[in-house]
Amino acid sequence: QAPLEAPLPALIKAAEGFEDQHAAALAARGPQLLLNECCCGDWVPWKLTVDTAVARAPGLTPAPPRLRLPRSTDTSSPAPPSPLSAVMQCCRWLANVCSKQVLNQVDDGIQLRSRIEACPDSANLLNQIEERVTQRISTVFPVKNAEGVPTQGPPVPDHHGEASAVYWRLLAPLVEKEAASGAPTRIPNLLASDTFHCAVLALSCELVVASRRQVELAFPSVLQRMKVPPFDLGVLIHSAMDAAPELPQALCDHLSDLNNQIVQELAWAPGSSFFPRLVLAAGTPSAVSR
């Protein structure tokens, strides 16, 4: 009987003289173990060789050649989109958001306006929100004016307007989620919170940057320009993904990557806004000075 680690020709020759099926099958496992590790083509060479050896053994029927099986045979889930398809999906989502005037036409916008009007000094609050949108987004995307529009060539995308549209798209469901959590009295404080609005604005700019593939504004450039702590953005990511379930998968993956980077690294950096909140949650405010 030939050992399993014997060369392939010796195994084939040994299989010719075997008189029982068990010995022939034992010899057939040799080349399988030998060549399965080094086979990298579409066809499986060891299977063809084993069939040759087994065919010469009495009483065994060789199997037909087979193709190598893919790593996953589950065809129920669709294949991931190509990079070009992912970019087109993100741009379509962005164009759809920009085509809606949130405060006037969309149902969520009408509800948001009613929430703002129910707050004390609602007119001043709305002006503050709109001024903050213009000022903070301008630190990342300059405002597009008529003088800056080129007369020739392709139109320049209005990234400032895109980020503003995404902000209003996210703000409405985020406020409604807070109201549905059983704390409607917190809505005036939430709408007046500069920390909350700046985090939503930073997230909106990040979605525009990811949709347009602006590598010059790779993370965390947006946070640095807007002076938003990474932890403030991190606590908002999951809520924003729930608030916009129509987000393309590429943008969801991008936000998940940002969240992982914040949780694993940026939230623990010196000066992070995470530490004061951690101390406050622990019930020892005096430890903040330490």
Side-chain angles (χ1 to χ4, degrees):
Q1 179 175 346
L4 293 181
E5 64 272 15
L8 182 60
L11 289 168
I12 296 177
K13 184 177 180 180
E16 296 177 355
F18 288 154
E19 297 296 334
D20 59 279
Q21 297 183 5
H22 175 73
L26 182 63
R29 287 200 301 270
Q32 174 178 348
L33 298 175
L34 181 66
L35 297 182
N36 191 29
E37 296 297 329
C38 60
C39 173
C40 57
D42 294 334
W43 291 90
V44 186
W46 65 261
K47 185 64 179 63
L48 302 179
T49 306
V50 169
D51 289 341
T52 303
V54 175
R56 298 183 182 182
L60 292 182
T61 303
R66 297 181 299 178
L67 289 174
R68 178 183 293 273
L69 293 176
R71 291 185 177 180
S72 176
T73 57
D74 183 14
T75 58
S76 59
S77 58
S82 64
L84 180 59
S85 299
V87 172
M88 294 178 63
Q89 291 175 4
C90 295
C91 290
R92 281 196 296 266
W93 173 81
L94 196 58
N96 182 61
V97 172
C98 294
S99 65
K100 301 175 180 178
Q101 298 293 329
V102 176
L103 285 180
N104 297 323
Q105 299 177 5
V106 184
D107 293 339
D108 289 342
I110 297 174
Q111 185 69 17
L112 176 61
R113 178 175 287 276
S114 66
R115 295 287 184 186
I116 295 176
E117 293 175 351
C119 296
D121 196 8
S122 58
N124 185 37
L125 177 61
L126 182 58
N127 290 334
Q128 290 178 356
I129 293 175
E130 293 176 343
E131 290 177 1
R132 184 187 294 108
V133 170
T134 302
Q135 294 174 0
R136 290 305 186 109
I137 296 180
S138 297
T139 61
V140 182
F141 304 118
V143 179
K144 181 180 178 182
N145 51 40
E147 296 179 356
V149 177
T151 56
Q152 297 179 353
V156 178
D158 182 12
H159 299 315
H160 187 284
E162 291 173 344
S164 177
V166 174
Y167 165 78
W168 291 112
R169 167 65 186 86
L170 295 177
L171 182 63
L174 286 174
V175 172
E176 289 307 309
K177 183 178 181 180
E178 183 69 17
S181 65
T185 57
R186 295 173 53 185
I187 299 301
N189 294 333
L190 182 68
L191 290 173
S193 172
D194 183 74
T195 300
F196 168 71
H197 286 287
C198 289
V200 179
L201 288 168
L203 181 62
S204 304
C205 292
E206 277 293 342
L207 290 174
V208 173
V209 169
S211 299
R212 296 298 186 183
R213 297 300 193 270
Q214 295 180 289
V215 295
E216 69 276 8
L217 292 174
F219 186 78
S221 297
V222 170
L223 298 182
Q224 294 171 351
R225 294 192 180 192
M226 300 184 70
K227 301 185 185 308
V228 174
F231 182 74
D232 292 351
L233 176 66
V235 298
L236 189 67
I237 286 179
H238 287 295
S239 297
M241 293 174 67
D242 293 338
E246 78 283 359
L247 274 176
Q249 185 61 44
L251 293 182
C252 292
D253 294 341
H254 176 70
L255 294 182
S256 298
D257 292 340
L258 298 189
N259 182 70
N260 293 335
Q261 189 172 348
I262 291 172
V263 170
Q264 298 175 6
E265 181 181 356
L266 299 180
W268 303 95
S272 172
S273 61
F274 167 67
F275 297 112
R277 299 188 188 187
L278 180 63
V279 172
L280 186 61
T284 56
S286 60
V288 174
S289 59
R290 300 197 298 267

